[in-house]
């Protein structure tokens, strides 16, 4: 398909597509003439992924480039590329001097949880520090998040992650990495929205005015962390 066709089918303006091509977010098309290239369904799929990451996922162009670069690294096996893409997605790693010492309550709780679940492979990786940072922030706000508070979250997440990896395994090999990136970024707003809907419904049941049977119109879920 021509660039104009790619724009029509994706809904992305041609100027934006050209920008993505210059930035390396989209592979070059097959050159037909000096002024014209042809694009494939793979280009359309990649373009939709980039657009979703930037517009829905709120990722910067630089972060999106890092994720795609990791996903396309042929020197890594599938598991390693999954990990590299995840690291690029969540690259906020605190400087060494800012990391909580092993003896701090937050870090101790996280280490104990990962030891219990057998998820210790991520220790000292960006996702590990994301978790430690979150637990540390709760501690500093006066909301201790010890192992008993963390266990229900791990118990809820474990079957979900198994399900999501099973979903990814159902994709053709050449689509799995793109699917992993898309599902990682775009499933999180779904999880967050469902969690907040659940908060609102449970709050209405437990704390709502007697006889109303629901929460006030327009009220959102309470922020419980």
């Amino acid at each position: 398909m021509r660039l104009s066709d790619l724009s029509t089918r994706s809904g992305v303006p041609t100027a934006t597509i050209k920008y993505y091509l210059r930035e390396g977010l989209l592979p070059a098309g097959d050159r037909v003439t000096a002024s014209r290239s042809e694009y494939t369904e793979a280009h359309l799929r990649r373009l939709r992924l980039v657009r979703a990451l930037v517009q829905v996922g709120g990722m910067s162009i630089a972060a999106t480039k890092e994720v795609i670069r990791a996903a396309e690294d042929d020197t890594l096996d599938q598991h390693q590329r999954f990990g590299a893409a995840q690291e690029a997605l969540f690259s906020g790693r605190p400087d060494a001097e800012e990391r909580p010492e092993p003896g701090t309550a937050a870090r101790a709780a996280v280490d104990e949880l990962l030891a219990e679940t057998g998820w210790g492979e991520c220790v000292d990786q960006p996702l590990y520090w994301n978790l430690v940072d979150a637990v540390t922030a709760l501690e500093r706000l006066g909301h201790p998040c010890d192992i008993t508070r963390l266990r229900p979250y791990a118990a809820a997440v474990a079957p979900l992650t198994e399900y999501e990896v099973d979903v990814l395994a159902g994709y053709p090999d050449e689509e799995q990495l793109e699917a992993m990136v898309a599902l990682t970024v775009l499933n999180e707003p779904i999880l967050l929205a469902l969690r907040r809907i659940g908060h609102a419904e449970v709050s209405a049941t437990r704390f709502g005015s007697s006889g109303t049977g629901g929460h006030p119109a327009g009220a959102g879920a309470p922020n419980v962390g």
Side-chain angles (χ1 to χ4, degrees):
M1 73 186 89
R2 298 185 178 187
L3 185 66
S4 58
D5 299 323
L6 186 62
S7 175
T8 298
R9 292 186 60 185
S10 66
V12 179
T14 56
T16 302
I17 296 175
K18 290 178 180 178
Y19 171 66
Y20 290 164
L21 286 164
R22 289 196 303 272
E23 290 295 315
L25 291 169
L26 197 64
D30 295 326
R31 182 72 68 179
V32 177
T33 68
S35 59
R36 184 182 140 208
S37 296
E38 285 288 328
Y39 301 91
T40 66
E41 293 296 321
H43 287 92
L44 179 62
R45 188 173 64 245
R46 170 60 60 81
L47 181 56
R48 286 171 173 166
L49 171 65
V50 170
R51 201 62 167 168
L53 294 178
V54 173
Q55 287 197 325
V56 182
M59 295 180 62
S60 67
I61 294 296
T64 302
K65 287 172 67 173
E66 286 299 316
V67 170
I68 290 175
R69 184 179 295 116
E72 292 180 333
D73 190 342
D74 292 333
T75 67
L76 307 176
D77 63 28
Q78 193 81 315
H79 170 64
Q80 291 171 325
R81 280 189 282 175
F82 279 175
Q86 287 276 13
E87 183 171 338
L89 283 167
F90 305 101
S91 58
R93 180 189 300 214
D95 294 332
E97 61 270 17
E98 297 176 0
R99 299 174 182 175
E101 293 297 323
T104 60
R107 189 168 172 186
V110 169
D111 289 345
E112 185 177 356
L113 180 74
L114 296 180
E116 282 188 5
T117 57
W119 294 347
E121 184 178 336
C122 75
V123 171
D124 207 33
Q125 299 300 314
L127 291 174
Y128 169 82
W129 291 109
N130 291 157
L131 180 56
V132 171
D133 281 350
V135 176
T136 300
L138 284 169
E139 293 277 359
R140 289 172 178 167
L141 288 171
H143 301 287
C145 190
D146 60 17
I147 185 68
T148 60
R149 290 282 186 91
L150 289 173
R151 281 190 185 113
Y153 290 93
V157 165
L160 177 61
T161 55
E162 290 282 351
Y163 166 74
E164 290 186 327
V165 172
D166 286 343
V167 170
L168 289 174
Y171 283 85
D173 289 347
E174 66 274 12
E175 296 180 22
Q176 282 188 6
L177 285 166
E178 287 189 0
M180 183 276 295
V181 172
L183 295 178
T184 296
V185 173
L186 303 179
N187 276 357
E188 290 189 347
I190 294 174
L191 290 172
L192 181 59
L194 287 172
R195 180 170 175 258
R196 289 179 173 173
I197 289 169
H199 286 162
E201 295 305 320
V202 173
S203 175
T205 300
R206 296 190 183 183
F207 310 126
S209 300
S210 178
T212 62
H215 49 77
N223 185 358
V224 296

